[in-house]
């Protein structure tokens, strides 16, 4: 192991680093779970209850499948947006502070 | 008339000529800026998050998805939406689990990341092999589609069409490297988004609201069923059927399996992952996924409107139908005919040229990814043990580009009459079953070892390929057997967990000296991947 790696392993023990990784990991995992549930739920709905998706939404031609499918697309964009918003606002600054601290 | 796809429409040829000149100018500009390996493989790391987002979106907005999905909607309605959603939902996963870590650990290929703390030779060999397989299947599907499309649009003979695509993409990649490949993709993405937006807007403007469009489409489908002799009640049911799921998803197992392949395959496609090395840092990598997800989602909404617009405006217009009532030029021409119905010969020419451009841009990215695997992973890291002269490495890369182009042209011609529809989903299944488990566990599990990832990656790759061969798409459709040995549409539901389980089991049982080194390297790799400390610089200069 070279000296750099030793320094990095020291950083791994730093409470501030550990807190960042835990917070970011929890966010990423929850958002991944939401996407999985949303999409696989949609796929299973298609597999098991086709009539529901084909049912008319408001008496017209538009079916329930349209807003539900649209919802999955918007969910994907929204979850991505939530992650980027939090990462840009919180995590980047925290990483920069940790790296600066480690350099000293 | 050119709309029939018989002869080369002059507007189409003129606009395609303009695109070719523009991309050659980009290539010339990029060639002057491409000197080092970092320039060639990763555009010098100087692409912004917004630009990279457009390029990534461009990789997904292939001719197959623009023409193929609008054709599926034209034929079956709602089913096309289910398919396109599958291609979108992989993006959030790439962002949450991969994008920033990839940027922080890698330089040119995803194998840089997968082999970071492992023995270089075995892991890179496996990664290069799976990259080449994924790229090859994806490439064949694109080449065959390209040949058929160009023959229809421009009246060129199939082998010439395939050869033109091969030669053009070779020029971009050979001289302009990643910089040209990225900018050709960006230009095409903007053109395609513009053309599709205009078409969707024109359709919605004509009908006033989505509800009016859907209602008219249902009427058209019902009238078509009645014309074929269905009773009024049956015809109405047939018309209504386009507003809900139809035959696309047959059994729940196939549905789930294809869903997993599309979702996690995105996070394992080598030509997509390499785009994260073209941006300067993790923040730009993140931004590029947000833009890509937005553009791809928007594009699929447009495709949905375009497909329904085609049902009404193309499906009822005898100019676009043959005597049997089928679409002239085949199902894939729905969007192209719609372009003519909306904007006449001039707009038809524009959309045809954009469709051709789409193919060129996508195959260029695929080829560069395959060439990087050969030169950076196999030649420089395995064969020369990391001590290759950068100039020699670039020569190998360029030679591989030419070789891959020749192989792609040959296979494109060879597979002309074959059913290649399974190839894209096979590429996704292999990426989800080999690259994704290897990357994820090497990034996040301390106990993971060299032997584990090599064994697990190989199992995933072989199983994805083997089960696909035994599935209906090849065993019955291509090979002509009566019944498929593997009854489901996609292997991912089985091959992906098998890969994860093999990596876990082999790693747990691995007590070799190398395994100790692998595990000892985890902590430092983890800190690097989380913080970007020691990440490869923004540029090679």
């Amino acid at each position: 192991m070279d000296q750099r790696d030793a320094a990095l392993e020291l950083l791994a023990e730093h409470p501030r680093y550990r807190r960042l990784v835990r917070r970011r990991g929890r966010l990423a995992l929850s958002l991944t779970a939401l996407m999985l549930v949303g999409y696989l739920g949609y796929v299973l709905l298609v597999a098991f209850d086709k009539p529901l998706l084909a049912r008319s939404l408001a008496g017209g031609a538009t079916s329930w499948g349209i807003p539900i499918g649209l919802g999955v697309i918007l969910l994907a964009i929204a979850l991505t947006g939530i992650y980027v918003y939090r990462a840009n606002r919180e995590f980047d600054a925290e990483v920069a502070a940790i790296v600066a601290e480690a350099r000293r | 008339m050119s709309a029939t796809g018989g002869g080369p429409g002059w507007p189409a040829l003129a606009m395609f000529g303009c695109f070719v000149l523009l991309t050659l100018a980009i290539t010339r500009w990029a060639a002057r800026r491409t000197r080092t390996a970092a320039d060639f493989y990763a555009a010098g790391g100087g692409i912004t998050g917004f630009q990279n987002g457009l390029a990534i979106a461009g990789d997904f907005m292939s001719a197959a998805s623009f023409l193929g999905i609008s054709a599926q909607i034209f034929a079956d309605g709602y089913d096309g939406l289910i398919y396109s959603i599958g291609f979108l939902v992989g993006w959030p996963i790439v962002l949450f689990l991969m994008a920033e870590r990839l940027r922080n650990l890698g330089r040119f290929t995803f194998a840089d990341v997968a082999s970071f703390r492992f023995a270089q030779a075995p892991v890179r060999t496996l990664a290069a092999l799976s990259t080449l397989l994924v790229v090859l299947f994806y490439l064949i599907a694109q080449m065959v589609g390209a040949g058929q499309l160009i023959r229809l649009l421009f009246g060129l003979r199939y082998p010439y069409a395939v050869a033109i695509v091969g030669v053009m993409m070779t020029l971009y990649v050979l001289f302009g490297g990643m910089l040209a490949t990225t900018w050709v993709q960006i230009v095409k993405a903007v053109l395609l988004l513009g053309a599709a937006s205009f078409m969707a807007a024109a359709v919605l403007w004509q009908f006033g609201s989505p509800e009016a469009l859907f209602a008219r489409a249902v009427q058209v489908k019902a009238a078509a069923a009645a014309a074929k002799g269905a009773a009024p009640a049956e015809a109405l049911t047939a018309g209504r059927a386009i507003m809900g799921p139809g035959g696309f998803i047959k059994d729940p197992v196939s549905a789930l399996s294809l869903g997993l392949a599309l979702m996690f395959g995105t996070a394992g496609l080598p030509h997509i992952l390499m785009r994260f090395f073209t941006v300067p840092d993790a923040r730009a990598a993140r931004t590029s996924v947000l833009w890509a997800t937005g553009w791809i989602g928007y594009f699929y909404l447009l495709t949905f409107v375009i497909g329904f617009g085609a049902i009404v405006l193309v499906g009822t217009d005898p100019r676009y139908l043959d005597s049997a009532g089928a679409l002239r030029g085949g199902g894939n021409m729905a969007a192209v005919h719609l372009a003519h119905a909306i904007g006449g010969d001039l707009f038809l020419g524009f959309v045809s040229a954009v469709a051709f451009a789409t193919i060129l841009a996508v195959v260029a990215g695929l080829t560069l990814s395959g060439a990087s695997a050969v030169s950076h992973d196999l030649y420089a890291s395995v064969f020369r043990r990391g001590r290759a002269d950068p100039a020699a490495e670039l020569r190998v890369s360029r030679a591989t580009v030419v070789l891959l182009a020749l192989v792609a042209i040959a296979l494109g011609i060879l597979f002309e009459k074959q059913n290649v529809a399974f190839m894209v989903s096979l590429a996704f299944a292999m990426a989800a079953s080999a690259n994704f488990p290897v990357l994820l566990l090497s990034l996040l599990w301390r106990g993971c070892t060299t032997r584990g990832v090599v064994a697990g990656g190989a199992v995933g790759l072989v199983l994805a390929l083997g089960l696909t061969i035994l599935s209906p798409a090849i065993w019955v459709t291509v090979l002509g057997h009566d019944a498929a040995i593997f009854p489901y549409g996609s292997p991912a539901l089985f091959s992906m967990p098998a890969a994860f389980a093999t990596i876990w089991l082999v790693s747990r049982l691995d007590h070799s000296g190398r395994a100790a080194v692998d595990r000892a390297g985890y902590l430092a790799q983890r800190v690097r991947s989380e913080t970007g400390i020691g990440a490869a610089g923004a540029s090679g200069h």
Side-chain angles (χ1 to χ4, degrees):
Chain A
M1 190 193 301
D2 61 21
Q3 268 183 332
R4 271 200 79 104
D5 281 7
L8 288 175
E9 290 186 8
L10 215 61
L11 188 60
E13 300 300 319
H14 197 293
R16 209 165 165 186
Y17 167 83
R18 293 172 68 103
R19 203 164 47 235
L20 166 78
V21 171
R22 209 169 41 240
R23 258 181 35 220
R24 187 161 58 186
R26 206 159 39 214
L27 177 70
L29 215 63
S30 335
L31 295 175
T32 304
L34 277 175
M35 194 66 246
L36 266 173
V37 169
Y39 175 60
L40 294 181
Y42 174 69
V43 167
L44 290 175
L45 194 63
V46 170
F48 286 107
D49 197 353
K50 291 189 173 70
L52 173 79
L53 289 167
R55 193 177 304 157
S56 171
L57 181 65
T62 307
S63 62
W64 275 94
I66 304 288
I68 292 177
L70 194 70
V72 180
I73 292 180
L74 292 181
L75 179 71
I77 298 174
L79 295 181
T80 312
I82 290 172
Y83 182 87
V84 170
Y85 179 78
R86 293 246 343 234
N88 285 352
R89 276 181 60 103
E90 299 171 31
F91 303 147
D92 275 356
E94 192 63 15
V95 167
I98 290 168
V99 171
E101 206 172 307
R103 290 250 160 83
R104 273 205 302 276
Chain B
M1 186 187 60
S2 51
T4 60
W10 283 110
L13 278 181
M15 279 184 238
F16 179 66
C18 289
F19 179 81
V20 166
L21 287 179
L22 178 64
T23 54
L24 287 178
I26 290 173
T27 306
R28 197 181 139 84
W29 164 81
R32 293 205 182 128
R33 281 159 185 75
T34 300
R35 291 191 189 86
T36 64
D39 295 332
F40 186 78
Y41 292 125
I47 305 291
T48 68
F50 174 71
Q51 291 163 354
N52 194 41
L54 270 174
I56 290 172
D59 276 327
F60 261 49
M61 299 185 292
S62 61
S65 61
F66 177 53
L67 302 178
I69 292 178
S70 55
Q72 198 182 5
I73 294 166
F74 176 77
D76 304 321
Y78 192 79
D79 276 356
L81 184 65
I82 305 172
Y83 194 51
S84 53
I85 286 176
F87 285 106
L88 179 69
V89 292
W91 284 104
I93 307 295
V94 170
L95 174 65
F96 305 151
L97 301 178
M98 296 276 176
E100 296 177 36
R101 296 187 174 102
L102 279 174
R103 182 61 199 88
N104 285 340
L105 290 178
R107 290 182 68 207
F108 303 146
T109 63
F110 90 89
D112 290 344
V113 180
S115 69
F116 195 86
R117 64 188 158 114
F118 299 138
Q120 294 292 300
V123 179
R124 282 192 190 263
T125 308
L126 173 84
L129 190 71
S130 96
T131 298
L132 285 173
L133 280 172
V134 169
V135 163
L136 215 58
F137 281 111
Y138 219 111
L139 207 52
I140 295 173
Q142 295 287 335
M143 290 303 264
V144 172
Q148 290 166 348
L149 177 71
I150 293 161
R151 191 183 50 195
L152 284 166
L153 294 180
F154 300 95
L156 276 170
R157 286 184 52 204
Y158 180 89
Y160 293 130
V162 169
I164 289 176
V165 173
V167 169
M168 289 299 301
M169 69 145 175
T170 307
L171 290 179
Y172 301 153
V173 180
L174 203 56
F175 297 107
M178 190 57 162
L179 193 57
T181 306
T182 302
W183 277 100
V184 169
Q185 191 63 275
I186 292 172
V187 168
K188 163 231 132 169
V190 170
L191 289 175
L192 184 54
L193 282 166
S197 299
F198 178 74
M199 286 169 77
V203 166
L204 285 178
W205 183 76
Q206 189 156 344
F207 289 92
S209 72
E211 165 63 30
L213 170 65
F214 296 148
R216 185 77 188 95
V218 168
Q219 279 176 13
V220 167
K221 286 282 183 184
K228 283 193 179 133
E234 280 172 47
L236 198 64
T237 311
R240 288 280 314 164
I242 58 168
M243 296 312 300
F248 173 59
I249 285 187
K250 291 171 194 74
D251 60 298
V253 174
S254 294
L256 210 57
S257 197
L258 181 66
L260 287 177
L262 294 181
M263 193 167 193
F264 295 111
T266 304
L269 285 176
H271 69 291
I272 297 291
L273 298 179
M274 78 173 176
R275 292 216 175 273
F276 291 109
F277 307 123
T278 65
V279 293
D281 52 29
R283 189 187 180 107
R286 192 190 300 145
T287 315
S288 50
V289 184
L290 182 58
W291 280 113
T293 313
W295 289 125
I296 296 169
Y298 171 65
F299 178 72
Y300 286 142
L301 290 182
L302 298 178
T303 319
F304 193 63
V305 174
I306 289 171
F308 271 89
I311 292 177
V312 180
L313 299 175
V314 174
T316 56
D317 190 331
R319 284 184 298 169
Y320 308 118
L321 305 173
D322 60 21
S323 50
L327 215 53
R328 283 178 194 262
N332 275 346
M333 298 297 282
V336 177
H337 288 319
L338 181 66
H340 185 263
I342 287 173
D345 282 341
L346 206 65
F347 191 57
L348 167 78
F350 183 69
V351 168
S352 303
V354 169
F356 197 168
T358 292
I359 296 165
L360 286 177
V362 171
V363 293
L366 286 166
T367 306
L368 182 57
S369 164
S372 312
V374 170
S375 60
H376 182 62
D377 296 328
L378 285 183
Y379 173 76
S381 304
V382 177
F383 184 64
R384 307 289 304 188
R385 293 168 193 284
R387 287 189 295 270
D389 167 33
E393 185 181 328
L394 274 183
R395 274 200 300 280
V396 171
S397 201
R398 292 198 156 109
T400 314
V401 170
V402 175
L403 194 72
L404 274 175
L406 291 175
V407 170
I409 293 172
L411 289 178
I413 293 173
L414 198 70
F415 280 84
E416 179 188 356
K417 304 266 189 276
Q418 300 294 317
N419 186 336
V420 294
F422 66 89
M423 285 189 181
V424 167
S425 72
L426 172 59
F428 270 84
M430 287 197 293
S433 309
N435 302 349
F436 174 68
V438 164
L439 268 176
L440 194 70
L441 291 186
S442 77
L443 283 172
L444 296 177
W445 182 38
R446 181 198 301 264
C448 193
T449 71
T450 301
R451 285 184 190 172
V453 293
V454 171
V459 163
L461 201 59
V462 169
L463 218 51
L465 190 61
L467 290 179
T468 302
I469 292 173
L470 299 178
S471 76
I474 297 190
W475 199 249
V476 179
T477 312
V478 177
L479 298 176
H481 295 272
D482 288 331
I485 297 172
F486 177 74
Y488 305 116
S490 168
L493 185 60
F494 306 93
S495 52
M496 194 171 88
F500 275 113
T502 310
I503 297 176
W504 178 79
L505 192 69
V506 174
S507 297
R508 285 302 295 268
L509 296 175
D510 187 355
H511 300 297
S512 60
R514 181 67 228 184
V517 178
D518 295 340
R519 294 187 187 110
Y522 175 74
L523 213 51
Q525 173 196 297
R526 180 77 197 261
V527 176
R528 281 201 170 91
S529 75
E530 296 281 359
T531 61
I533 293 175
S539 76
H541 306 293

